[in-house]
Amino acid sequence: MGENIGAAARAMWNFGCADLRLVDPRDGWPNERAVAMASGATMVLDRTRVFDTTPAAIADLTTVYATTARPRELTKRVMDPEAAAQDAMARMRDGERVGILFGRERTGLENDAIAAANIIITVPTNPVFSSLNLGQCVLLMASEIRKAAVEHRSDVYETGDSALAAQVDIERLFVHFVEELEEANYFWPEDKAAHMRLSLRNLLSRTPFTEQDVRMMRGVVRTLAERRRRKG
Amino acid sequence: MGENIGAAARAMWNFGCADLRLVDPRDGWPNERAVAMASGATMVLDRTRVFDTTPAAIADLTTVYATTARPRELTKRVMDPEAAAQDAMARMRDGERVGILFGRERTGLENDAIAAANIIITVPTNPVFSSLNLGQCVLLMASEIRKAAVEHRSDVYETGDSALAAQVDIERLFVHFVEELEEANYFWPEDKAAHMRLSLRNLLSRTPFTEQDVRMMRGVVRTLAERRRRKG
C-alpha cells in the first residue's frame, strides 16, 4: 500500500536512512498516497528503486537481514534490532553492503525471502500483545541504525547560553549564604550548626549550577537579607 | 485526541508498559476513538487515570522525565531514550517511582511541565528532518524501557576475514544446485519438493560464504553432476 511505503520512507528519513528499495509494489510506482504520507521525506521516495523480485532487490548486498517473528522451521541466526543495527554498522565499516527486508503489512515476508536472508531480526515485544505495523517496525530499526551510526553523548547537561559555574563561584555562593544566615541567627542550636552548614554546602554541590544560576541565587540571598534588615 | 491516546496505549502495551495517566484530555474520558485505535490494548485504557493538572499527575513520582526537544533556556540533564530507560530501570530497582511526560501532538509539553521534570529525554533524529508523532515517540520510549527491563541476548559471532560473496553469487549457486538436482530427480516425492528447495536455499543463506567458498561449491556441484552423467 502507498500509505505504508510513505510511512516507511518517513520513518527512515527521521533517522537519516535514505536507500529504499521496493519489490513489486501492489499499487505500482510512483504512488501519490506514498508521497502524501511521506510528508517531507520525498527525498527518500525520489531515490527509491523498484525491483520485480526480492533476489533482484538484494543482488548487490553482502549481508541481508529479514524482520520477522522467530522462524520455526528454518535454522537462523536471530538478533534484536539493537544488536542487528550494531552488526550492520560494523559490517558497513568493513566495507560491506547491507540491507534489511520488511514484509507486507499483513502477510509479512514470504518463506523464500526469509530463507535467502542471512540474519533474522525479531523485535522483542510483549509476549501477550504484539501489534507492530510496518511503519513502526521500520521506525524502530531506523532508530537503532542511527544510534549505532552516530556517536552521541547520551547523558549530558544542556545549559543553554550560560556555562556551568566553576567551583569557586559555588563556594562564594555558599559563603554568602552563611554570612547572611549567621547574621540572622540561623545556625542554632550550637551543636547542630556544623551539620547544618555541611547540609547546605552539600545541597549546593548536588545541584548543577550555571553561572547565571549563581548570579540569580546571589540576588535572591541579597534580596532576602536586605528585606530582613529593613524589617529589623 | 482519542486516536493519539489509543495509539499511545497500543505502543505501550506492545512493550509491556501499562500505567497510562492523562492530563485534561481534550475530548473527555472515556473515549471511543481511543478504544478503536488501541485495538487490543484495552487493558491499558481500562487502567488509565485522568488528572486535571500535570503536578497532580506526577505527585506520587520521585523522578520525572519529559520528552521534548533540547531546552534552550532551562538548564537540564538531557538523555536519549536508551540512557533514560536504563536510568529509569535503575531507579525503579532502587524503589523509586518514575514517570515519563509526553506532550500534546502538535504543541508538545508546556514550559511549566518541562521545568518541573527532573530529566529531559530527546530522541536523536535526523537534524534536517524530524517528524515523530506522539504514538511514535511513545513507541520508541516503550521499546527502550522493555530492553532495559528484560535481559536479552545480543547475538554476536565471529565472521572472520570478509571476502564475503554477494547475494547474486549465492542465488546463482542455488540455481546451479537446483538445476543439477532436478536432472538427477532429487526433489522427490513431489509433495516434499517445495520444502526441500526451501531448506537448501536456507542452508546456503545460513553460512557466510566467501567468494572462494562459492567457487568451490560450484566446482563441487559441477563435478558431482558430471560424474553422474558419465555413469548414466
Side-chain angles (χ1 to χ4, degrees):
Chain A
M1 278 175 66
E3 286 85 346
N4 289 329
I5 297 170
R10 190 170 155 180
M12 286 172 63
W13 194 223
N14 264 312
F15 294 101
C17 300
D19 185 5
L20 176 60
R21 304 175 179 194
L22 301 174
V23 175
D24 188 23
R26 192 193 72 176
D27 301 334
W29 193 258
N31 183 300
E32 281 181 20
R33 282 192 227 153
V35 175
M37 189 68 182
S39 68
T42 46
M43 188 278 250
V44 175
L45 296 182
D46 293 342
R47 293 178 50 177
T48 296
R49 282 172 286 171
V50 178
F51 299 85
D52 290 333
T53 66
T54 302
I58 65 174
D60 62 318
L61 306 178
T62 55
T63 297
V64 173
Y65 306 81
T67 54
T68 182
R70 277 170 185 277
R72 282 171 201 157
E73 296 187 354
L74 302 173
T75 303
K76 283 288 187 189
R77 195 173 170 200
V78 178
M79 296 183 175
D80 68 13
E82 183 174 20
Q86 288 165 354
D87 184 77
M89 283 310 305
R91 289 174 188 276
M92 283 191 272
R93 281 190 278 264
D94 286 344
E96 278 204 54
R97 296 175 301 284
V98 309
I100 304 171
L101 292 170
F102 296 88
R104 287 172 194 270
E105 175 79 15
R106 292 191 184 279
T107 54
L109 286 171
E110 287 170 13
N111 278 342
D112 285 345
I114 296 172
N118 305 102
I119 296 168
I120 296 292
I121 302 174
T122 296
V123 182
T125 51
N126 185 349
V128 303
F129 183 75
S130 179
S131 72
L132 294 180
N133 64 30
L134 177 61
Q136 290 174 315
C137 201
V138 173
L139 184 82
L140 291 172
M141 258 332 291
S143 162
E144 293 291 354
I145 292 280
R146 185 169 187 86
K147 277 164 54 182
V150 180
E151 282 291 327
H152 64 277
R153 295 168 65 196
S154 57
D155 183 1
V156 298
Y157 273 101
E158 185 72 39
T159 57
D161 296 333
S162 187
L164 282 175
Q167 289 300 322
V168 64
D169 298 324
I170 307 297
E171 186 62 25
R172 279 185 193 134
L173 174 61
F174 172 65
V175 169
H176 189 178
F177 261 115
V178 168
E179 285 170 357
E180 295 294 354
L181 290 170
E182 278 180 338
E183 199 175 314
N185 298 317
Y186 170 82
F187 295 107
W188 190 91
E190 197 82 41
D191 61 327
K192 295 261 173 85
H195 189 70
M196 292 166 84
R197 284 164 189 260
L198 201 64
S199 295
L200 177 60
R201 184 65 187 87
N202 189 50
L203 175 62
L204 296 182
S205 72
R206 207 189 313 152
T207 310
F209 281 98
T210 63
E211 292 170 350
Q212 201 176 332
D213 291 330
V214 171
R215 284 195 293 274
M216 179 184 72
M217 285 310 297
R218 295 291 289 267
V220 167
V221 173
R222 193 164 50 243
T223 304
L224 293 176
E226 280 168 3
R227 182 160 168 261
R228 184 182 48 70
R229 283 198 199 93
R230 280 203 300 275
K231 279 189 173 179
Chain B
M1 279 175 64
E3 285 86 345
N4 289 329
I5 297 169
R10 189 170 156 182
M12 287 171 63
W13 194 224
N14 264 311
F15 295 100
C17 300
D19 186 4
L20 176 60
R21 303 176 180 195
L22 301 174
V23 175
D24 190 23
R26 193 193 72 175
D27 302 333
W29 192 258
N31 183 300
E32 280 181 21
R33 281 193 228 153
V35 175
M37 189 69 183
S39 69
T42 47
M43 188 279 251
V44 175
L45 296 182
D46 293 342
R47 293 179 50 181
T48 296
R49 283 171 286 173
V50 179
F51 298 86
D52 291 333
T53 65
T54 302
I58 64 175
D60 62 320
L61 305 179
T62 54
T63 298
V64 174
Y65 306 80
T67 53
T68 182
R70 276 170 185 275
R72 282 170 201 159
E73 298 185 353
L74 301 172
T75 298
K76 283 289 187 188
R77 196 170 172 196
V78 179
M79 296 183 178
D80 69 11
E82 183 174 18
Q86 287 165 354
D87 184 78
M89 283 309 305
R91 289 174 188 275
M92 281 192 273
R93 281 191 278 264
D94 286 346
E96 279 205 53
R97 294 175 303 283
V98 308
I100 304 171
L101 291 171
F102 295 88
R104 286 173 196 269
E105 176 80 15
R106 292 191 185 279
T107 54
L109 286 170
E110 287 170 14
N111 280 341
D112 284 347
I114 296 172
N118 305 101
I119 295 168
I120 295 291
I121 303 173
T122 296
V123 182
T125 50
N126 184 350
V128 304
F129 184 75
S130 179
S131 73
L132 294 180
N133 64 31
L134 177 61
Q136 290 173 317
C137 201
V138 173
L139 184 83
L140 291 173
M141 255 337 287
S143 162
E144 293 291 354
I145 292 279
R146 185 168 188 87
K147 277 162 56 182
V150 179
E151 284 290 328
H152 65 278
R153 295 171 59 198
S154 58
D155 184 351
V156 177
Y157 83 16
E158 300 293 326
T159 53
D161 291 61
S162 54
L164 285 178
Q167 291 296 327
V168 65
D169 298 324
I170 308 296
E171 187 70 21
R172 278 185 195 134
L173 174 60
F174 174 64
V175 170
H176 189 178
F177 263 112
V178 169
E179 285 171 350
E180 293 295 350
L181 290 170
E182 274 178 347
E183 199 177 317
N185 298 316
Y186 169 82
F187 295 108
W188 190 90
E190 197 84 37
D191 61 335
K192 296 261 176 80
H195 189 73
M196 291 165 83
R197 282 166 190 257
L198 201 67
S199 295
L200 177 60
R201 183 65 185 88
N202 187 50
L203 174 64
L204 296 183
S205 72
R206 203 191 313 152
T207 310
F209 278 97
T210 62
E211 290 170 355
Q212 198 177 338
D213 290 329
V214 173
R215 283 195 295 273
M216 178 185 71
M217 287 309 296
R218 293 291 290 270
V220 165
V221 174
R222 197 165 46 240
T223 303
L224 294 176
E226 279 169 8
R227 182 162 170 263
R228 182 181 50 72
R229 282 197 200 94
R230 278 204 300 274
K231 279 188 171 179

